[in-house]
């Protein structure tokens, strides 16, 4: 066991000896996931590294992550660099807010996303998945991530506000540009601040005004009773606590937060699930045998979900190997310790499920895609599997995400095979979420479905 303290108090976390000082920063910009993985392998669950001019801390062990997100959550706030960057897009919604506002909003929004409430959306989700799967073969070769984003957009727009984005290319284009802007902000060392009128910034501000305008119209129509629906927006508008409802501005912020977070990470998760299935035909075959037996070609209903455990295991294992939220940030609000190591006030902390999920310390043969890790009765070591985070900011949409993932997996394997062109060269990269590096093209081959019982 490493000695983490001395007479002068706790020690700083270890640093890598392998990188030259500038080399670490340069490699970090080029391939952050590789640097974070190497750091944890060399230095253990808590390490220090150079992030531009300052030093940051990487946390990649179950107990240490639990400390940051749960037991010492009071001492770690959201990272300023993240909240300030996202403020123009997300306002003071759930993804940004903290303290009393966050606690109140979580109390109002959390109950809208319980597993029981989510199952009423099974038919809607399955309907959109089917429409997209049927469209793919006609598209020939297509950009696989864009295809998943379009599918998730349609699902989320319908669940959220009973609207389909189909034919609404303007909204889709504005949302895509805003996501790209966000990714640039997170991944480029220097980005022109918004007050600098670059072409990209002016477009971004127009897109934000457009999206806020549309969200505002939707909220207003529901508040005035001009429209109504059996959807998440209706739940938001009707949500009340002892202080009353959320108020118009907060409702607009939450609409954008939930809608955006519901699309981004989920489409990445579907992409990596489809990719993993294409690389592991034996897993796809086993999932297909399950869907043939249970569904025989029809779409799943809520009553079928319990009979499709392997499809859910596949999705969970995809989120282990390709954690859609590979690393998220916190900032120390006071001088404190993580795993016994000293962490100064203001230090940015990277919590990295991606690194933990791929460590041989917590998962045997971590690079093998093995859905049986999640077979009934088996579970990963305590706190070692965190695709949805943990503690007060744990993903509010995790039940919906799991539902979408299970349905998508079942319908994908049951109706065909997605062939990734040049699949061997696909590399995960950290772009706010986990995305493939560069464009990845695929072709969908629909196949015949065995009759039920056949
Ligand atoms: C596979 C899909 C998804 C993954 C992997 C995922 C992952 C995560 C993670 C890791 C966090 C915690 C971040 C942190 O602690 O800083 C988070 C928070 C959040 N997620 Fe998700 N998410 C997914 C889908 C969704 C969906 C479908 C929705 C909405 C319908 C959603 C809404 C949110 C919101 C609002 C937060 C902030 C919660 C808070 O701070 O209280 N997510 N998500």
């Amino acid at each position: 066991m490493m000695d983490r303290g001395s007479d002068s108090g706790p020690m700083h976390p270890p640093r890598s000896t392998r990188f030259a000082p500038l080399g670490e920063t340069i490699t970090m910009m080029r391939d952050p996931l590789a640097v974070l993985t190497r750091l944890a392998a060399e230095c253990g669950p808590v390490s220090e590294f150079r992030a531009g001019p300052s030093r940051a801390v990487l946390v990649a062990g179950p107990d240490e992550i639990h400390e940051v997100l749960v037991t010492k959550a009071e001492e770690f706030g959201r990272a300023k660099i993240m909240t300030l960057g996202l403020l123009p897009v997300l306002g003071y919604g759930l993804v940004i807010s903290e303290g009393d506002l966050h606690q109140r909003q979580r109390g109002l929004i959390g109950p809208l996303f319980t597993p029981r409430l989510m199952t009423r959306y099974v038919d809607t989700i399955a309907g959109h998945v089917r429409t997209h799967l049927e469209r793919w073969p006609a598209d020939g070769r297509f950009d696989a991530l864009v295809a998943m984003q379009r599918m998730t957009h349609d699902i989320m727009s319908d669940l959220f506000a009973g609207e389909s984005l189909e034919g609404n290319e303007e909204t889709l284009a504005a949302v895509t540009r805003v996501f790209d802007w966000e990714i640039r902000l997170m991944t480029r060392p220097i980005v022109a601040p918004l007050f600098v009128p670059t072409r990209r910034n002016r477009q971004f501000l127009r897109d934000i005004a457009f999206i806020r305008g549309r969200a505002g119209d939707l909220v207003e129509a529901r508040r005035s009773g001009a429209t109504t629906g059996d959807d998440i927006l209706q739940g938001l508008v009707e949500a009340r606590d002892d202080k009353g409802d959320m108020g118009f501005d907060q409702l607009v912020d939450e609409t954008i937060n939930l809608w955006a977070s519901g699309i981004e990470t989920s489409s990445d998760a579907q992409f990596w699930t489809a990719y993993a299935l294409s690389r592991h035909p034996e897993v796809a075959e086993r999932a297909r045998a399950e869907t043939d037996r249970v569904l025989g070609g029809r779409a799943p209903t809520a009553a079928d979900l319990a009979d499709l455990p392997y499809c859910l295991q596949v999705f969970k294992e995809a989120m282990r190997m390709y954690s859609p939220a590979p690393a998220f940030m916190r900032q120390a609000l006071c001088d404190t310790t993580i795993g016994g190591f000293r962490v100064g006030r203001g230090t940015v902390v990277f919590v990295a499920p991606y690194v933990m999920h791929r460590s041989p310390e917590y998962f045997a043969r971590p690079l093998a895609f093995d859905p049986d890790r999640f077979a009934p009765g088996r579970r990963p070591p305590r706190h070692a599997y965190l695709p949805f985070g943990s503690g007060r900011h744990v993903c509010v949409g995790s039940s919906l995400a799991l539902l979408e993932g299970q349905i998508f997996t079942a319908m994908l394997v049951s109706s065909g095979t997605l062939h990734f062109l040049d699949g061997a060269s696909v590399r995960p990269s950290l772009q706010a979420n986990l995305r493939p590096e560069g464009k990845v093209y695929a072709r969908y081959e629909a196949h015949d479905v065995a009759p039920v019982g056949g």
Side-chain angles (χ1 to χ4, degrees):
M1 175 95 176
M2 192 181 296
D3 181 10
R4 295 168 182 191
S6 69
D7 290 347
S8 54
M11 285 177 2
H12 284 284
R15 301 170 182 182
S16 171
T17 50
R18 295 205 203 144
F19 293 103
L22 208 57
E24 195 176 70
T25 305
I26 293 169
T27 325
M28 189 71 176
M29 271 157 53
R30 260 204 315 249
D31 193 352
L33 292 177
V35 175
L36 298 180
T37 305
R38 271 165 63 182
L39 267 176
E42 182 188 340
C43 304
V46 185
S47 55
E48 212 178 58
F49 64 100
R50 200 177 284 275
S54 33
R55 293 212 149 254
V57 166
L58 167 69
V59 187
D63 295 339
E64 295 78 3
I65 290 182
H66 189 71
E67 210 180 321
V68 174
L69 299 182
V70 183
T71 47
K72 288 191 177 163
E74 294 292 339
E75 300 182 9
F76 295 95
R78 297 197 193 270
K80 289 276 166 291
I81 182 171
M82 200 263 309
T83 46
L84 291 177
L86 294 179
L87 200 65
V89 186
L90 299 176
Y92 291 94
L94 213 50
V95 176
I96 299 269
S97 60
E98 296 199 79
D100 292 346
L101 176 61
H102 177 263
Q103 206 182 344
R104 174 175 189 227
Q105 290 306 111
R106 197 71 208 208
L108 288 164
I109 295 171
L112 306 178
F113 285 91
T114 60
R116 198 180 55 78
L117 283 177
M118 289 303 104
T119 49
R120 74 190 154 135
Y121 296 130
V122 171
D123 297 345
T124 311
I125 296 171
H128 285 291
V129 173
R130 168 146 288 170
T131 305
H132 282 259
L133 290 178
E134 283 173 358
R135 185 184 299 158
W136 287 354
D139 288 349
R141 190 185 105 122
F142 56 86
D143 180 327
L145 183 60
V146 169
M148 303 302 166
Q149 286 166 339
R150 285 177 170 264
M151 183 176 72
T152 327
H153 269 122
D154 281 349
I155 295 172
M156 205 52 201
S157 307
D158 205 344
L159 297 194
F160 201 85
E163 284 206 336
S164 175
L165 269 182
E166 272 185 75
N168 198 341
E169 293 296 322
E170 202 184 351
T171 309
L172 193 55
V175 170
T176 308
R177 280 193 299 265
V178 166
F179 285 166
D180 288 349
W181 185 91
E182 207 185 287
I183 287 174
R184 274 176 64 80
L185 181 79
M186 298 287 178
T187 53
R188 301 280 168 103
I190 300 168
V191 176
L194 268 182
F195 60 79
V196 181
T198 60
R199 191 177 52 79
R200 196 177 256 113
N201 280 352
R202 278 182 288 136
Q203 180 66 56
F204 172 79
L205 291 172
R206 274 200 300 275
D207 287 335
I208 286 296
F210 174 74
I211 292 168
R212 289 197 77 83
R214 265 189 56 78
D217 291 345
L218 286 172
V219 167
E220 197 41 58
R222 291 296 172 91
R223 270 164 60 101
S224 69
T227 60
T228 185
D230 178 21
D231 49 34
I232 297 168
L233 180 58
Q234 195 65 30
L236 278 182
V237 169
E238 287 174 7
R240 299 275 183 286
D241 61 8
D242 51 9
K243 293 193 188 123
D245 71 3
M246 289 180 207
F248 178 78
D249 289 339
Q250 193 68 37
L251 277 165
V252 171
D253 284 353
E254 299 300 5
T255 298
I256 296 173
N257 275 248
L258 290 167
W259 194 54
S261 11
I263 292 168
E264 262 192 296
T265 16
S266 286
S267 46
D268 296 330
Q270 320 299 14
F271 172 90
W272 291 112
T273 303
Y275 173 71
L277 284 166
S278 83
R279 306 294 300 159
H280 300 279
E282 71 295 350
V283 172
E285 212 31 68
R286 202 171 138 193
R288 189 183 171 202
E290 182 177 84
T291 59
D292 280 354
R293 189 167 31 79
V294 177
L295 305 174
R298 64 178 171 76
T301 64
D304 296 316
L305 297 177
D307 297 324
L308 296 168
Y310 192 67
C311 290
L312 184 59
Q313 286 170 229
V314 168
F315 184 66
K316 287 183 175 172
E317 173 67 347
M319 287 200 298
R320 181 193 65 82
M321 265 189 87
Y322 303 101
S323 193
F328 36 89
M329 287 190 257
R330 292 289 188 272
Q331 193 155 13
L333 299 172
C334 54
D335 289 342
T336 180
T337 57
I338 305 174
F341 289 112
R342 179 196 302 193
V343 174
R345 178 165 178 259
T347 304
V348 171
V349 175
F350 281 70
V351 171
Y354 178 92
V355 176
M356 177 169 71
H357 290 178
R358 287 170 169 242
S359 163
E361 272 199 54
Y362 318 116
F363 294 94
R365 297 187 310 121
L367 300 184
F369 187 76
D370 178 11
D372 279 328
R373 295 179 205 273
F374 295 94
R378 291 184 64 185
R379 47 168 61 192
R382 208 158 148 258
H383 310 316
Y385 177 67
L386 293 183
F388 296 115
S390 185
R392 61 179 64 177
H393 293 298
V394 68
C395 179
V396 82
S398 59
S399 305
L400 175 57
L402 286 169
L403 192 66
E404 272 186 76
Q406 187 182 15
I407 295 171
F408 171 69
T409 305
M411 295 184 76
L412 177 71
V413 294
S414 114
S415 61
T417 304
L418 193 61
H419 300 282
F420 281 73
L421 313 178
D422 208 10
S425 65
V426 173
R427 276 164 47 86
S429 96
L430 177 65
Q431 304 171 29
N433 291 347
L434 194 76
R435 297 253 162 107
E437 199 176 271
K439 293 218 171 292
V440 177
Y441 291 95
R443 187 173 55 75
Y444 189 62
E445 185 192 355
H447 50 58
D448 299 332
V449 180
V452 181

